[in-house]
């Protein structure tokens, strides 16, 4: 069956996702249109294709234990000179992202792995481009802000063309909110005769 390259991330929803993707392309980042705007939980990881069902089952368990949380982006940061990246900062929701990525990479799970750098939730807006363009991205997005309720994450696969495509979404907790008095509860309620 061979191997596939996967990633797990929280998508930045519309209209913010497309706006940041277009800005990233405008700074000259050729990879912009092949990478949906996101906060990484599992960086690109090569796995056996046959392991995907076990990985999906693991991610479903992680999502079931999670709860929606507020995400807020504000301002810019950079990993330069260590890594040629400019990003929009996650100023609310970072602790929840950190908890989630630890669960995804748990040593007992199917995608246990060490990270090259310490985990730092962020949204990349420029990667590996000319320094002047990186500076421009850093300056032009310094006042950028967006917020939304994070309700889950998704599994992506990188195609041979370098484009990342969503394989499956994993909503947090129970997808259906149970009613206050379900059928089983009604049967046990006292009735008047």
């Amino acid at each position: 069956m061979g191997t596939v390259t996967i990633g797990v991330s929280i998508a930045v929803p519309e209209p913010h996702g497309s706006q940041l993707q277009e800005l990233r392309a405008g700074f000259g980042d050729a990879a912009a249109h092949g990478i949906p705007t996101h906060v990484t939980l599992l960086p690109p990881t090569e796995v056996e294709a046959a392991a995907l069902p076990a990985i999906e089952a693991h991610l479903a368990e992680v999502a079931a234990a999670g709860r929606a949380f507020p995400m807020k982006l504000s301002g810019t940061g950079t990993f330069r000179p260590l890594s040629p990246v400019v990003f929009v900062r996650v100023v609310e929701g970072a602790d929840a992202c950190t908890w989630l990525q630890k669960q995804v990479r748990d040593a007992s799970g199917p995608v246990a792995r060490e990270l090259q750098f310490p985990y730092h939730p962020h949204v990349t807006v420029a990667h590996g481009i000319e320094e002047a363009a990186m500076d421009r991205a850093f300056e032009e997005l310094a006042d950028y802000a967006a917020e939304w309720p994070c309700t889950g994450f998704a599994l992506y696969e990188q195609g041979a063309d370098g484009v990342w495509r969503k394989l499956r979404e994993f909503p947090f907790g129970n997808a259906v909110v149970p009613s206050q008095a379900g059928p089983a509860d009604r049967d046990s309620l006292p009735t008047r005769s």
Side-chain angles (χ1 to χ4, degrees):
M1 249 182 135
T3 62
V4 292
T5 300
I6 61 165
V8 177
S9 63
I10 295 169
V12 175
E14 296 305 329
H16 316 297
S18 291
Q19 289 170 347
L20 288 173
Q21 194 173 42
E22 289 304 317
L23 287 165
R24 184 172 177 174
F27 297 133
D29 192 329
H33 289 294
I35 305 172
T37 308
H38 67 281
V39 176
T40 299
L41 297 177
L42 177 73
T45 302
E46 191 173 314
V47 299
E48 292 294 327
L52 282 174
I55 292 168
E56 289 190 21
H58 170 66
L59 294 176
E61 285 180 17
V62 171
R67 295 290 175 261
F69 60 91
M71 285 282 285
K72 184 174 182 181
L73 308 179
S74 181
T76 51
T78 184
F79 294 132
R80 296 182 293 174
L82 192 60
S83 181
V85 172
V86 170
F87 58 86
V88 174
R89 296 182 306 123
V90 174
V91 296
E92 189 173 355
D95 289 343
C97 291
T98 300
W99 180 85
L100 280 170
Q101 66 88 29
K102 283 181 184 173
Q103 304 311 305
V104 168
R105 295 185 306 103
D106 187 80
S108 66
V111 284
R113 66 165 285 186
E114 293 297 317
L115 297 178
Q116 185 179 359
F117 300 107
Y119 182 74
H120 184 275
H122 65 280
V123 177
T124 298
V125 291
H127 180 216
I129 58 176
E130 293 180 8
E131 286 296 319
M134 301 269 276
D135 292 342
R136 203 172 103 236
F138 186 87
E139 291 161 14
E140 287 184 19
L141 291 171
D143 295 328
Y144 183 85
E147 55 188 294
W148 71 92
C150 178
T151 58
F153 56 84
L155 172 65
Y156 292 81
E157 180 180 339
Q158 186 178 35
D161 57 359
V163 175
W164 287 89
R165 294 174 180 86
K166 188 186 311 177
L167 294 180
R168 181 174 163 192
E169 290 187 25
F170 296 90
F172 293 137
N174 196 346
V176 178
V177 177
S179 64
Q180 291 301 316
D185 295 328
R186 278 194 225 92
D187 292 343
S188 62
L189 292 175
T191 56
R192 290 187 185 191
S193 22

